[in-house]
Amino acid sequence: MNFKKFLNQLDIFGQCKKYRISFWQCPNFLFLLMGSIIISLILVSYALTLRFIEDPRIVSLIVLLIATILLIIAFIINRSLEKLFEVNRIKSEFISIVSHQLRAPISNLKWALEFLLSGRLGKIENSHMEYLKILEENSNRMAELVKDLLIVSQIESERLSLKKEKFSLSDLTSEIIKEFSPLANKNNVKINFSFEKNLPLVFADKYQIRQVVENLLDNAIKYADRKKGLVEIKIENKDKNVYFEIRDNGIGIPKEEQKFVFQKFFRAQNIKKYQTLGTGLGLYISKVLAERSGGKIGFKSQEGKGSTFWFLLPIK
Amino acid sequence: MKKILFVEDESALQKTFSEILKQEGYEVISALDGESGLNLAKSEKPDLILLDLILPKMDGFEVLAELKNNPETKSIPVIVLTNLENIEDVDKAIQLGAMTYLVKAQYSLKDVIEKIKKALEK
């Protein structure tokens, strides 16, 4: 496997194709080119000076010439790297602008729907209600998606803020479980929650840790067993840390895919067959956010039996 | 009847909010840009101001600064209701004298109404 990875690194033409730029703009190719030029020029000049040239002035002239050529190539490489960075910057900027611009209409939509569904404008007929619920569910989904994209763009541009405070992880978790109970009921999933008495407060960014717990709970509910779904959450004290664990009895993650779990846009093959919703951003975001608060995150999973995700947060 | 000034350039949001706040028993006056928001605050002396930050003519920060500099409008509580969520923006608004800072995407309509009620009780 590692050897294969190494071979992939050597496949410069493949790498350049992946970047979708020409070879003359591709750093991988240009570095190789420069390397070969350096080595061959050194060999040639060595041979020349040995055989034909006795005047050291000519030797230094040759060295000067070589240095000039190398400088020009280095300059071209630099320009091509700039281009790659620029493309990366534009991508992040694009995600950020798009998600900001999407947020305003989504808020308008969500609030207008909430108002309509509250019944303050008059009673809603049952036949209409069904469709209004569809609108509500989908606007919520869209809002979640945009929120995820925005967090990713903030992570990538290193503009994600961090506001640490002391709070109770068990209170936060109870609150979130309450919010998720309609989804759990819909999926026939039972949620068991237990926590140690006298747990210390954690010291972390509350809003960001809320995202982590929401993501883990959302996954556990969605991927728990279809008929007899069970999600077990427990919170414990573990020397100077608070330990959170969430276990489901669902399809689990195939062993060969486990190493990709926290990667951006990753979705397991067996999940895709079974459940089409999801962006593959949730766990990536969770890992970054838990670690930013000074915590750790991990999991174990067995295909067909379920997954257990856990994280640790510091108490100061 | 308590009077609320809502400064927001999105007319869809203006409509939803004025309707619901009227039902809650408040008088609502609206402004679609920062400048007219500031003028209305001076002439109408509302009990509470809901202020967006990205606004035409004069942005929310400028409006907030002007409001807090003017002895006549200084004591009116201001709730910032925006989609900007950078910590710098939050700090800036609070320093300028905003009472509460709400990021639109993080709250439901019900939550926002609760916050408004609480602010008016004080």
Side-chain angles (χ1 to χ4, degrees):
Chain A
M1 193 58 212
N2 274 334
F3 184 66
K4 212 172 155 190
K5 236 186 202 168
F6 176 69
L7 276 185
N8 274 341
Q9 285 294 315
L10 286 184
D11 179 18
I12 283 162
F13 296 98
Q15 295 265 342
C16 291
K17 266 196 190 134
K18 214 168 83 189
Y19 294 143
R20 294 185 192 167
I21 46 181
S22 79
F23 292 130
W24 296 107
Q25 290 175 323
C26 176
N28 303 42
F29 173 73
L30 289 171
F31 269 119
L32 181 76
L33 184 72
M34 186 159 81
S36 354
I37 292 177
I38 291 174
I39 292 168
S40 46
L41 283 181
I42 288 171
L43 287 177
V44 168
S45 49
Y46 178 70
L48 283 178
T49 42
L50 269 190
R51 288 222 188 140
F52 308 109
I53 308 165
E54 271 158 22
D55 188 348
R57 278 175 302 182
I58 296 180
V59 176
S60 54
L61 214 64
I62 293 174
V63 171
L64 193 72
L65 186 73
I66 295 170
T68 315
I69 295 172
L70 292 179
L71 196 71
I72 291 170
I73 298 177
F75 179 72
I76 297 174
I77 291 179
N78 196 25
R79 290 305 299 266
S80 68
L81 279 176
E82 267 172 23
K83 194 169 170 160
L84 283 182
F85 293 145
E86 177 69 7
V87 170
N88 193 28
R89 190 190 62 79
I90 291 173
K91 184 208 70 188
S92 298
E93 200 95 312
F94 177 74
I95 297 178
S96 161
I97 290 173
V98 167
S99 22
H100 265 118
Q101 292 303 317
L102 281 172
R103 270 183 130 181
I106 290 173
S107 293
N108 297 348
L109 190 65
K110 270 181 70 175
W111 286 352
L113 266 170
E114 195 187 329
F115 185 40
L116 202 56
L117 282 164
S118 71
R120 284 164 180 263
L121 284 172
K123 210 175 166 327
I124 306 162
E125 281 177 45
N126 275 343
S127 54
H128 292 179
M129 193 56 151
E130 201 182 323
Y131 288 95
L132 286 172
K133 286 277 178 200
I134 295 176
L135 287 177
E136 191 192 29
E137 213 178 293
N138 283 284
S139 64
N140 283 340
R141 238 172 84 192
M142 208 145 67
E144 287 298 313
L145 200 72
V146 169
K147 184 171 80 183
D148 282 357
L149 280 176
L150 207 62
I151 293 179
V152 170
S153 86
Q154 283 168 343
I155 291 170
E156 292 198 340
S157 58
E158 285 165 14
R159 272 196 313 229
L160 192 68
S161 54
L162 186 68
K163 207 168 81 190
K164 283 193 177 185
E165 60 186 303
K166 289 207 161 196
F167 64 92
S168 155
L169 185 60
S170 50
D171 286 355
L172 180 71
T173 307
S174 310
E175 226 174 84
I176 296 171
I177 291 175
K178 217 187 271 171
E179 286 164 24
F180 274 77
S181 68
L183 179 70
N185 287 336
K186 210 177 99 187
N187 285 321
N188 287 321
V189 173
K190 190 172 177 293
I191 303 175
N192 283 340
F193 178 37
S194 63
F195 54 91
E196 251 176 53
K197 272 182 191 161
N198 304 324
L199 277 173
L201 299 180
V202 295
F203 184 58
D205 186 306
K206 193 175 176 186
Y207 177 71
Q208 291 177 5
I209 295 307
R210 171 179 267 277
Q211 310 303 318
V212 178
V213 177
E214 281 182 2
N215 283 331
L216 295 181
L217 182 57
D218 191 58
N219 280 349
I221 293 174
K222 275 188 195 153
Y223 303 127
D225 189 74
R226 285 273 109 152
K227 284 169 197 138
K228 271 192 168 174
L230 181 65
V231 171
E232 288 174 293
I233 302 172
K234 62 177 182 192
I235 303 180
E236 288 167 359
N237 194 353
K238 230 175 209 178
D239 46 42
K240 292 194 179 163
N241 288 295
V242 172
Y243 174 80
F244 174 103
E245 186 186 281
I246 179 164
R247 174 159 49 178
D248 68 64
N249 62 343
I251 50 173
I253 305 156
K255 197 155 195 181
E256 62 277 12
E257 294 190 296
Q258 292 192 357
K259 56 178 175 290
F260 306 119
V261 160
F262 290 114
Q263 274 181 16
K264 224 182 325 183
F265 299 114
F266 167 75
R267 303 203 61 218
Q269 286 302 327
N270 60 344
I271 288 175
K272 285 190 204 156
K273 280 184 220 148
Y274 171 85
Q275 179 44 290
T276 48
L277 294 183
T279 52
L281 289 173
L283 288 174
Y284 164 73
I285 290 173
S286 301
K287 185 173 160 67
V288 176
L289 295 187
E291 286 173 356
R292 275 183 60 96
S293 274
K296 268 187 197 155
I297 193 168
F299 75 102
K300 52 178 186 280
S301 180
Q302 211 177 343
E303 197 171 2
K305 291 209 169 149
S307 308
T308 304
F309 280 84
W310 57 266
F311 66 82
L312 276 176
L313 287 179
I315 57 176
K316 60 179 172 187
Chain B
M1 203 197 288
K2 298 251 169 135
K3 208 192 284 176
I4 300 174
L5 169 62
F6 190 25
V7 192
E8 162 70 62
D9 60 330
E10 291 260 356
S11 53
L13 219 54
Q14 280 278 9
K15 182 153 175 56
T16 313
F17 262 88
S18 7
E19 193 65 39
I20 201 165
L21 289 172
K22 270 178 208 158
Q23 286 197 6
E24 292 286 338
Y26 300 117
E27 186 189 341
V28 184
I29 39 178
S30 341
L32 287 162
D33 63 78
E35 204 180 274
S36 52
L38 187 62
N39 291 334
L40 276 174
K42 283 179 192 157
S43 61
E44 297 279 330
K45 308 268 160 36
D47 299 287
L48 179 76
I49 299 173
L50 284 176
L51 182 64
D52 192 6
L53 288 179
I54 305 175
L55 290 167
K57 290 188 187 168
M58 209 176 162
D59 73 29
F61 291 116
E62 290 173 274
V63 175
L64 191 57
E66 288 276 330
L67 283 172
K68 294 296 167 187
N69 267 334
N70 187 331
E72 286 179 48
T73 53
K74 203 178 160 187
S75 57
I76 305 173
V78 178
I79 294 184
V80 170
L81 189 61
T82 178
N83 258 331
L84 292 181
E85 61 173 352
N86 293 335
I87 194 87
E88 298 93 51
D89 293 325
V90 180
D91 286 345
K92 191 172 164 193
I94 297 291
Q95 253 172 23
L96 283 172
M99 187 180 72
T100 314
Y101 191 104
L102 304 178
V103 177
K104 286 175 186 168
Q106 293 173 11
Y107 291 89
S108 69
L109 193 56
K110 211 175 86 200
D111 295 337
V112 180
I113 302 297
E114 281 300 308
K115 297 266 181 196
I116 293 172
K117 275 187 190 167
K118 239 186 212 162
L120 280 168
E121 269 166 25
K122 278 177 192 165

